[in-house]
Amino acid sequence: IIHPVAVATILAENRMDPETMVAGLLHDILEDTERTSDDIREVFGPTVTTLVEGVTRVHNIRQICQAEKEIEYLRHMLVATAEDLRVIIIKLCDRLHNMQTLQYLPPADQTRIARDTMDIFAPLADRLGLGQIKWQLEDLAFQYLEPQEYLEIKSLVAQKRRDREAYVEEAKRELENMLADRGIK
C-alpha cells in the first residue's frame, strides 16, 4: 500500500482532482490483484476506471517496446494511448515514486529504470509542463546513471551551502552588534 499511497500523495501535491488521486491510489490494482475493471467501476465509477485502465495500458506498452530506437515512438504512443491526459500524469507520479525507492533494486535494474526515466519520462514531464516532476526525475536518474559525477556535484553544492550559511551567520552577527550599539533589542 505504501507505493500507491505515495503516488496519490504526489498527485495531491500537484493539485490534481479527486478522481485522479483515487486512480493514482488504484493504479496497480488491475496488474497486482484479482480485481477487475468492473469491480473498480462499481465502486468508483467510470472516470476512475478509465484512468486506471489507461495507466495499465501505458505500462503494457512499455513492456512491448524495449528497443532503444523505439523511444521516440514510445513517447508518442504513451501520449496517444492516454484517452485522458491524467493517465500520463498518474504514470509520471508512479515513475517518480519508483525512482525515489530505486535503491532497493539490483544495480542492473536501477540503471535500466534510470535510463528509461531520463529518456522517456523526464522529457514527457517537460513537454507536459510538469517542471518540478521533470527535474526530480532527472536528478534521481542522474544519481544512478552517473554516480561519480553525481557525488562530485553533491559535494560542490554542499560546500556552497556551507559558504552561504557562514555568510548569513556573519551578517546576522553584524546586524545584532549594530542593533545592540543603538540599544535596539
Side-chain angles (χ1 to χ4, degrees):
I1 192 69
I2 293 171
H3 172 67
V5 168
V7 171
T9 300
I10 294 168
L11 290 163
E13 290 167 350
N14 282 278
R15 302 190 187 286
M16 296 304 297
D17 60 283
E19 289 172 322
T20 304
M21 289 185 278
V22 170
L25 192 60
L26 300 174
H27 77 277
D28 282 336
I29 203 164
L30 296 176
E31 296 171 50
D32 296 346
T33 73
E34 299 295 319
R35 296 293 178 183
T36 66
S37 294
D38 290 337
D39 295 332
I40 297 170
R41 188 173 292 103
E42 184 178 315
V43 177
F44 298 101
T47 301
V48 170
T49 304
T50 299
L51 293 173
V52 173
E53 289 172 339
V55 173
T56 302
R57 275 195 310 274
V58 167
H59 175 78
N60 291 337
I61 286 173
R62 182 66 193 125
Q63 301 306 315
I64 295 166
C65 302
Q66 291 296 325
E68 191 71 27
K69 64 185 176 183
E70 296 179 18
I71 287 176
E72 188 61 32
Y73 170 75
L74 177 60
R75 282 188 193 128
H76 292 292
M77 283 295 293
L78 285 172
V79 175
T81 300
E83 297 167 4
D84 188 320
L85 189 59
R86 294 176 294 182
V87 169
I88 300 302
I89 295 170
I90 294 167
K91 188 62 185 170
L92 288 169
C93 293
D94 173 44
R95 178 52 62 116
L96 178 57
H97 184 254
N98 288 339
M99 289 301 297
Q100 291 169 343
T101 57
L102 201 57
Q103 72 270 21
Y104 301 111
L105 295 180
D109 290 342
Q110 292 173 347
T111 302
R112 177 184 50 79
I113 292 168
R115 174 57 47 212
D116 280 353
T117 298
M118 193 67 90
D119 290 344
I120 298 166
F121 294 97
L124 191 55
D126 187 42
R127 288 180 183 164
L128 295 176
L130 300 171
Q132 184 175 356
I133 291 175
K134 173 202 177 258
W135 70 255
Q136 288 178 36
L137 289 170
E138 287 177 338
D139 286 355
L140 290 164
F142 183 65
Q143 179 179 349
Y144 293 95
L145 296 174
E146 303 292 343
Q148 288 303 113
E149 290 84 350
Y150 172 81
L151 291 175
E152 288 175 28
I153 291 171
K154 184 177 176 181
S155 174
L156 290 170
V157 168
Q159 181 59 43
K160 293 286 185 190
R161 180 178 182 171
R162 285 191 294 274
D163 293 345
R164 284 191 308 271
E165 288 172 351
Y167 175 79
V168 168
E169 283 302 314
E170 178 59 30
K172 181 180 167 185
R173 277 192 295 278
E174 286 182 32
L175 284 171
E176 287 172 346
N177 290 337
M178 289 171 67
L179 292 171
D181 290 346
R182 289 171 177 75
I184 300 173
K185 293 184 181 179

